[in-house]
Amino acid sequence: MKRHLISAADLTRDDAVLILDTAEEMARVADRPIKKLPTLRGRTICNLFFEDSTRTRISFEAAEKRLSADVINFAAKGSSVSKGESLKDTAQTLEAMGVDAVVIRHSASGAPYRLATSGWIDAPVINAGDGTHQHPTQALLDAFTMRRRLLGPDAGIGQDLTGKRITLVGDVLHSRVARSNVDLLHTLGAEVTLVAPPTLVPVGVDHWPCEVSYDLDSTLPKSDAVMMLRVQRERMNAAFFPTEREYSRRYGLDGDRMARMPEHAVVMHPGPMVRGMEITAEVADSPRCTVVEQVANGVSIRMAVLYLLLGGNEPAVTQPSSPAAPSATPSRTEEKQDR
């Protein structure tokens, strides 16, 4: 693992599989009566959120606390940022307080990279979403969910997504989730297709490692997973499609369209969902929809990322070990604590 996690494109295939395998072990912790590991005890992690968030912020906080870290939650609203304080001054304040890692979400694309490379702070930086650029932990939890559903939790250990066909549908232009997923899924060997209105396809998409289609109905029968993307009106400054009804008719996923998918295929959504727009209630509440699983898996993935960046570079998957050479996995550490 590298020092920072800024972009899904920075991960090699081995990096990504290591994170997914480590997350499998972390997921087992959630099934225990005591859902805590002492791995990051004494470490302080700051969640630096300059943009509104529910799932990502709570997911990171839950992951940090399950690893026994001390957590500082920073929100731009109600802080000195509203008085004009710069990112540099905020970072130097955190550095003076001795934080061990920073999880940052920012509306400006490139802000996490700037924080990681500026020298303002000497701590690992994890990108929790920056503008329309990247959201690497979301891509990791999506890949983790796909691997679990399509290969199985145990059968998937050590495996990537080679040969799987993934379709991303909707507002690709404004979606950091789409960019991150295209990068990571390509690294993991999957075949990715983007489906969107021409007005919501980014300039330069020809250079992305994926296919582009404007016809949802033709791609559904050959998809192993279909991820619906929210139309991000808060980032739009023009009319990108005629009406919501027209968008839903062409690019929304309803029960009839879901029936055209292969029986094993799953429906995904990074959230928040706009029911009746990109996805109907029938599909959202279907057993084939993994939205709730994605939320749960997000905690496991973020635990894995934090563990590998701060706790050590050895896999957290339990391995048989001799009494003379105890394993350094979280599971072993927890056993020591229990004794």
Side-chain angles (χ1 to χ4, degrees):
M1 283 289 293
K2 299 175 176 62
R3 178 168 172 74
H4 308 287
L5 180 57
I6 306 300
S7 169
D10 296 337
L11 297 172
T12 65
R13 187 259 182 200
D14 290 342
D15 289 337
V17 171
L18 173 62
I19 295 172
L20 299 184
D21 290 349
T22 305
E24 282 290 356
E25 181 69 15
M26 298 301 182
R28 298 188 183 106
V29 173
D31 297 328
R32 302 174 184 175
I34 299 176
K35 299 176 174 60
K36 271 209 170 188
L37 298 172
T39 313
L40 298 184
R41 181 180 295 152
R43 301 293 190 98
T44 301
I45 301 173
C46 179
N47 297 322
L48 191 61
F49 277 61
F50 291 88
E51 194 177 47
D52 293 340
S53 171
T54 299
R55 276 161 293 277
T56 303
R57 182 180 60 79
I58 294 174
S59 180
F60 267 109
E61 185 175 355
E64 291 151 5
K65 289 182 175 178
R66 286 186 184 181
L67 292 173
S68 301
D70 296 318
V71 180
I72 299 173
N73 286 316
F74 174 98
K77 293 177 182 177
S79 74
S80 293
V81 172
S82 61
K83 301 176 183 178
E85 184 174 75
S86 67
L87 177 62
K88 177 179 181 180
D89 292 331
T90 301
Q92 290 178 332
T93 299
L94 297 175
E95 175 71 8
M97 292 179 180
V99 299
D100 296 292
V102 175
V103 177
I104 178 172
R105 167 169 284 201
H106 205 287
S107 58
S109 299
Y113 177 81
R114 177 66 171 156
L115 184 63
T117 60
S118 61
W120 299 335
I121 190 168
D122 184 26
V125 175
I126 301 171
N127 183 2
D130 61 327
T132 60
H133 179 227
Q134 282 279 331
H135 196 350
T137 58
Q138 179 69 46
L140 284 163
L141 75 89
D142 291 338
F144 183 67
T145 303
M146 292 175 199
R147 194 177 77 164
R148 284 194 132 200
R149 274 293 192 112
L150 300 176
L151 301 181
D154 297 323
I157 294 292
Q159 302 298 313
D160 56 21
L161 295 171
T162 298
K164 299 303 178 185
R165 294 167 296 184
I166 315 300
T167 302
L168 279 68
V169 186
D171 185 3
V172 178
L173 178 63
H174 302 100
S175 177
R176 55 194 172 209
V177 174
R179 286 167 172 78
S180 299
N181 268 284
V182 168
D183 289 335
L184 183 66
L185 292 173
H186 173 71
T187 298
L188 290 172
E191 301 170 17
V192 184
T193 301
L194 300 177
V195 180
T199 53
L200 291 176
V201 174
V203 175
V205 74
D206 295 342
H207 302 292
W208 293 18
C210 63
E211 300 293 327
V212 178
S213 173
Y214 305 111
D215 183 9
L216 177 58
D217 292 322
S218 66
T219 62
L220 291 176
K222 52 187 179 183
S223 300
D224 295 302
V226 177
M227 178 176 293
M228 307 306 296
L229 302 171
R230 179 176 65 89
V231 174
Q232 300 187 38
R233 292 191 176 278
E234 70 276 12
R235 300 187 191 277
M236 294 183 179
N237 55 9
F240 288 85
F241 47 84
T243 64
E244 291 186 6
R245 178 179 294 182
E246 176 69 9
Y247 178 89
S248 183
R249 185 180 70 82
R250 292 287 304 276
Y251 298 100
L253 187 63
D254 56 18
D256 291 339
R257 281 195 164 121
M258 184 172 65
R260 300 174 197 171
M261 296 165 53
E263 290 186 6
H264 69 275
V266 294
V267 177
M268 306 180 69
H269 197 300
M273 292 186 291
V274 181
R275 296 182 181 227
M277 181 74 168
E278 72 270 8
I279 192 169
T280 64
E282 177 186 3
V283 176
D285 297 329
S286 164
R288 302 177 71 174
C289 185
T290 65
V291 172
V292 176
E293 291 174 45
Q294 287 170 261
V295 174
N297 292 340
V299 178
S300 301
I301 280 290
R302 284 154 183 147
M303 287 176 69
V305 168
L306 291 165
Y307 167 73
L308 291 169
L309 286 178
L310 293 174
N313 289 319
E314 295 299 321
V317 179
T318 304
Q319 303 285 351
S321 58
S322 64
S327 169
T329 66
S331 298
R332 184 75 176 183
T333 309
E334 186 180 39
E335 289 171 9
K336 292 179 181 178
Q337 185 191 39
D338 292 342
R339 290 199 294 269

